[in-house]
Amino acid sequence: MRNNRDDGPAALVRLVATGQAESRAELARLSGLAASSVSLRVEQLIDAGLFTEEGAGASRGGRRPRRLRLAPEAGVFLVADLGAHHARLAVVDLAGSPLALADLACDIAVGPERTLTAVVGSLRDLARAHGMGNVPVRGIGVGLPGPVDPHTGQVVSPSRMPGWNDFPVRDFVAEHAGLPALVENDANLMAVGEHRHSWPGLDNLMVIKLGSGIGCGVIVAGRLHRGRGAAGDISHVRILPEASADCSCGHPDCLEAHASGAALAAGLRAQGIAVEQPAQIVDLVTDGVPQATSAVRTAGRLIGEVLTALVNFFNPDALVIGGSLSGAEPLVATIRGVIYERCLPLATRNLEIATSRAGPDASILGAGRLLLERSADWIEPALTR
């Protein structure tokens, strides 16, 4: 376990929230602070309503220590994971665990102002509906199905989000909600959620999101790798399909144009099969509809060919497949088969290829964790009130 050498109160909150420490002595050991400094900061956090001490923890010899916990009134985060036609909403505690969940029908194509205003209002309504209207909200996180500049919080050249290019999402959400705001690509949030929730012992992870679009989040040395905002964007890698198709980005034969849920749905509709959402494709495959099964196998082959180069290059510990299409077993099996067939034996010798363990709320969990990591944004102000 890595020591957290940040000497601010935010570091102590993170250690308690993530379960790494439950006593002042453990905080001193993990933070590297003197016991007197830890006690002073803990008292400040208790006075601010962020910590509470209760019961007695495990003894390591001598008197049993009081157990530190986040106070019930310490606060919550509001989180939204936006898709093309819906948003998954959540109120999560400061450890990132969901307290309330809901789905909101929305069309991202109506533009950023209308979409984000509706999402923020619905998040507030969700908190009130579950009795948390008076609990302090410490931050808001938004996941988007497009590239996000990590420095500015702007969406940059999204292929399926008309009207969003260069829109200052982070600034708009922060001003509209009156809260510190986190804006991140949805696949990146999924990667963080999968890693912290289901694969904490692995340092290097690739998480593929297969839904209406195709995304990939990358964990390097235990941390999310963003690059300059485009890291993991495999959707516009050019492939060599049997028939050409133009992508929404304006270029021909991107992976997304042939293997995404939107592309598969369009192909099935052209064959007279009614389908709108990727989840319906999974249902068709489960029901044994041959056209759907053939389509997902072709998609799996194309996705697997792209991932083969990435697995050889990055050599991850695990490749996790999530998103609404991950329930199509022939799709996952084909991806796995192509990678094991075509990658170097050294790259796949200990590689685990698995479907999501965190499930449909992986991005929610990831946003909660990233908001906690930025806890200095709201803890310092809370201590001065």
Side-chain angles (χ1 to χ4, degrees), residues 110-137:
V110 303
E113 292 96 338
R114 287 176 59 187
T115 300
L116 295 171
T117 298
V119 164
V120 172
S122 297
L123 285 168
R124 296 284 194 187
D125 292 342
L126 180 64
R128 284 192 292 267
H130 287 78
M132 291 175 278
N134 294 322
V135 177
V137 178

Side-chain angles (χ1 to χ4, degrees), residues 72-215:
E73 66 277 12
V76 295
F77 297 129
L78 304 179
V79 176
D81 179 24
L82 273 63
H85 302 290
H86 78 286
R88 183 69 162 162
L89 309 180
V91 181
V92 304
D93 64 21
L94 299 186
S97 299
L99 302 173
L101 294 161
D103 290 304
L104 174 70
C106 63
D107 185 355
I108 206 166
V110 303
E113 292 96 338
R114 287 176 59 187
T115 300
L116 295 171
T117 298
V119 164
V120 172
S122 297
L123 285 168
R124 296 284 194 187
D125 292 342
L126 180 64
R128 284 192 292 267
H130 287 78
M132 291 175 278
N134 294 322
V135 177
V137 178
R138 302 299 188 180
I140 184 168
V142 177
L144 296 172
V148 176
D149 186 318
H151 302 294
T152 66
Q154 293 175 288
V155 180
V156 182
S157 301
S159 60
R160 294 178 294 112
M161 300 172 65
W164 289 73
N165 185 44
D166 285 338
F167 185 80
V169 178
R170 186 172 62 205
D171 292 345
F172 181 88
V173 170
E175 182 176 354
H176 189 71
L179 297 166
L182 165 79
V183 177
E184 187 57 84
N185 172 262
D186 57 355
N188 284 349
L189 293 181
M190 177 178 281
V192 174
E194 282 290 340
H195 178 239
R196 302 298 170 83
H197 182 269
S198 306
W199 309 83
L202 301 185
D203 286 333
N204 302 301
L205 201 67
M206 289 174 57
V207 179
I208 311 301
K209 184 174 185 179
L210 302 179
S212 295
I214 299 175

